[in-house]
Amino acid sequence: AWQRFWFVTLPMLRPTVFTVLTLGTIGTWQVFDQIYTGTRGGPAKTTLTPAYLSYDAAFISQDWGRGAAIAFVLFSWTFYNLYDQQMFPDFYTSLFESKERGEQVYGVLNSVQVFIEAAMMMVVPIVMRKVGVRTTLLLGVSVMCLRILGSAVFDDVLLVSIVKMFHAIEVPLFILGIFRYITLHFPANLSATLYLVGFEVAAQVGNVILSRPFGSLRDAIGYQRTFSVISAAVFLAGVWAFFALKRDDQDIEGDPLADAPDQLPAQAGT
């Protein structure tokens, strides 16, 4: 009976179990009303959720930059996952004479991309020390927007392949940028939680909640016009972030970035 359950029943239920766990986890992290009317995040922040934390930072503490950071990560990274994991692979393989050939080339590009990303993970911290955390994050969002827009504009295999490789630049800029932004402006005891929750929840939200409406949009207007819509959404998130995110010398509650450009005037005045 145990072997039948483990090797037959459970594998057949795996898609359902994954969906239930994913939606349950997302629902738990998005709880707001019970926390607002009951515990207010206590005791000792053990019931703090990203939804309530964003509200608390922006409306109670009047810390708009912190609330903007949480909302910005959830918003922009959601569309990144929606585009990169669900739509672009099918669009790219459709540009070839056969799907098998497209999948083969796509696999080769992914392999090359991994090595470039690894190299960029070492380069981006150097860039961050030169231009600052906030600027690095905005650069990552800019590359994300241009990459999605490029796949909306070009339909040549070579040009789309070049656009795809921007992923190797975008991800290190965005991931390291937002991680350093969080550790710079948030207390250390919240940094790892916010980073994990922000990206993991955003990924699941993009894959589960937005899949159906954007899938319907793709069926109605095609891949490239849908990419234009996603690119516009990321662009608006970037514009909002430009005005909402804090400079590197504002409200430092975590680990300061040594010799960051935005911090030099503050250091000079002390």
Side-chain angles (χ1 to χ4, degrees):
W2 170 253
Q3 290 183 343
R4 183 172 63 249
F5 171 78
W6 186 258
F7 293 105
V8 179
T9 306
L10 187 59
M12 293 178 65
L13 292 174
R14 186 176 300 167
T16 303
V17 172
F18 173 78
T19 301
V20 171
L21 290 177
T22 299
L23 293 177
T25 302
I26 292 173
T28 300
W29 281 337
Q30 290 181 330
V31 169
F32 174 80
D33 49 350
Q34 295 94 326
I35 307 299
Y36 177 77
T37 58
T39 65
R40 297 295 178 103
K45 300 182 179 179
T46 54
T47 60
L48 195 63
T49 64
Y52 184 78
L53 179 61
S54 181
Y55 164 81
D56 179 81
F59 295 99
I60 297 180
S61 303
Q62 297 296 307
D63 193 348
W64 297 99
R66 182 179 295 182
I70 300 170
F72 168 67
V73 172
L74 294 175
F75 185 73
S76 58
W77 205 249
T78 292
F79 286 101
Y80 163 83
N81 282 278
L82 180 68
Y83 162 80
D84 207 61
Q85 296 183 8
Q86 297 196 22
M87 294 190 179
F88 183 79
D90 288 338
F91 166 72
Y92 185 79
T93 55
S94 70
L95 299 176
F96 290 80
E97 64 278 4
S98 67
K99 186 176 181 180
E100 291 74 16
R101 176 58 178 169
E103 291 176 347
Q104 181 183 9
V105 176
Y106 188 80
V108 172
L109 288 179
N110 275 342
S111 300
V112 176
Q113 176 184 305
V114 168
F115 287 101
I116 299 177
E117 280 186 22
M120 289 300 299
M121 285 290 184
M122 295 182 287
V123 173
V124 168
I126 300 175
V127 174
M128 193 181 301
R129 291 182 64 88
K130 297 294 184 182
V131 303
V133 176
R134 179 175 176 273
T135 302
T136 300
L137 180 56
L138 293 176
L139 285 174
V141 178
S142 300
V143 175
M144 180 190 300
C145 180
L146 291 175
R147 182 169 71 95
I148 299 174
L149 181 61
S151 59
V153 173
F154 303 121
D155 54 10
D156 179 76
V157 172
L158 178 59
L159 292 177
V160 175
S161 299
I162 294 174
V163 168
K164 171 180 167 47
M165 299 311 294
F166 285 150
H167 183 279
I169 303 173
E170 163 199 325
V171 170
L173 285 171
F174 194 93
I175 290 182
L176 295 181
I178 193 60
F179 179 71
R180 195 64 186 91
Y181 183 92
I182 290 173
T183 58
L184 181 67
H185 296 291
F186 289 80
N189 60 340
L190 290 178
S191 296
T193 302
L194 289 175
Y195 181 77
L196 175 63
V197 169
F199 280 98
E200 290 303 318
V201 170
Q204 299 303 333
V205 167
N207 291 334
V208 177
I209 297 180
L210 294 180
S211 296
R212 186 177 296 275
F214 273 87
S216 300
L217 182 65
R218 177 203 60 200
D219 294 338
I221 65 177
Y223 278 109
Q224 292 189 294
R225 290 184 178 179
T226 304
F227 293 161
S228 297
V229 174
I230 296 175
S231 177
V234 174
F235 173 77
L236 292 176
V239 171
W240 179 55
F242 178 82
F243 293 102
L245 295 182
K246 296 179 180 179
R247 299 192 309 270
D248 294 355
D249 61 344
Q250 286 183 313
D251 300 329
I252 300 174
E253 296 189 26
D255 183 23
L257 183 68
D259 299 328
D262 288 345
Q263 292 178 0
L264 291 179
Q267 293 175 354
T270 57

